[in-house]
Amino acid sequence: MSDVIPDDALGDRNQLVVPPSEQDHWQGSLNARVVLVEYGDYQSPECSELYTSIQTIQNQFEATSLGRGSLCFIFRHFPQAQIHPQAQKAAAATEAAAAQGQFWQMHEMLLKHQQELEDGCLVEYADNLGLDVTQFMRDIAQKVHINRINADIESGYQSGVESAPALFINGIRYTDRWTVEQIMAAIVAASK
């Protein structure tokens, strides 16, 4: 008997397998008309660029007739440790910050300072955010949030994600160009 899983048993590899939930980190409403799910890596320059684009899109979207609360953004971890050696620790840092109510603040800080993810820098970021630095570093060192990060990675693999960033719009993998205009057009189409 073969251990190979037939392709049809895996389903559509461009579909989000694990749906958005309260377990995710999100901005907006989980019941929004359009839900973006990004699988990201804190050392990936493309992830930083995508975050900047998504911020622009969120601002533009809120200003359109589609209205406030119609867009939700979810971030899931997909550190690529084989090419980005600090990405796993950076993911742990955001989760340690999340435990103290500061996920999005740390998320933004790490994406802005991708080349500065050593322990000393993480301590500085945590201190700047007013976190309990001792607890923050203990959570990272003891890998308190590893199961959460691994669950995100596994859900990415289940949805066909092989590298970061990967973006899903209303559960469908976005495969077009990574410009604000193209992503915005896909969001507007998905909102109809």
Side-chain angles (χ1 to χ4, degrees), residues 24-155:
D24 286 307
H25 297 291
W26 78 91
Q27 295 175 326
S29 167
L30 288 174
N31 297 320
R33 193 176 320 161
V34 178
V35 179
L36 305 177
V37 176
E38 176 193 354
Y39 285 90
D41 173 321
Y42 288 104
Q43 275 192 289
S44 163
E46 294 83 10
C47 288
S48 180
E49 291 168 16
L50 179 59
Y51 182 66
T52 301
S53 296
I54 286 174
Q55 286 182 308
T56 300
I57 289 165
Q58 286 172 315
N59 292 333
Q60 287 179 5
F61 202 82
E62 294 297 323
T64 68
S65 62
L66 296 170
R68 188 163 180 77
S70 296
L71 181 67
C72 178
F73 172 60
I74 292 171
F75 181 85
R76 292 180 178 169
H77 302 287
F78 202 82
Q80 302 165 104
Q82 67 280 12
I83 55 175
H84 297 133
Q86 300 289 339
Q88 183 79 22
K89 188 188 309 178
T94 61
E95 289 302 324
Q100 298 184 44
Q102 299 276 335
F103 174 82
W104 289 106
Q105 294 85 343
M106 184 62 77
H107 176 82
E108 186 169 327
M109 183 105 43
L110 298 184
L111 287 171
K112 286 183 177 179
H113 301 282
Q114 292 184 310
Q115 304 308 313
E116 301 163 330
L117 299 176
E118 301 80 24
D119 287 349
C121 295
L122 297 178
V123 167
E124 182 181 329
Y125 305 150
D127 188 53
N128 289 344
L129 293 174
L131 301 179
D132 176 336
V133 175
T134 303
Q135 184 64 49
F136 172 81
M137 290 308 293
R138 185 179 304 127
D139 283 359
I140 293 171
Q142 294 177 354
K143 300 183 180 196
V144 170
H145 304 288
I146 192 72
N147 291 340
R148 164 67 187 260
I149 296 164
N150 287 341
D152 280 359
I153 294 167
E154 181 57 32
S155 76

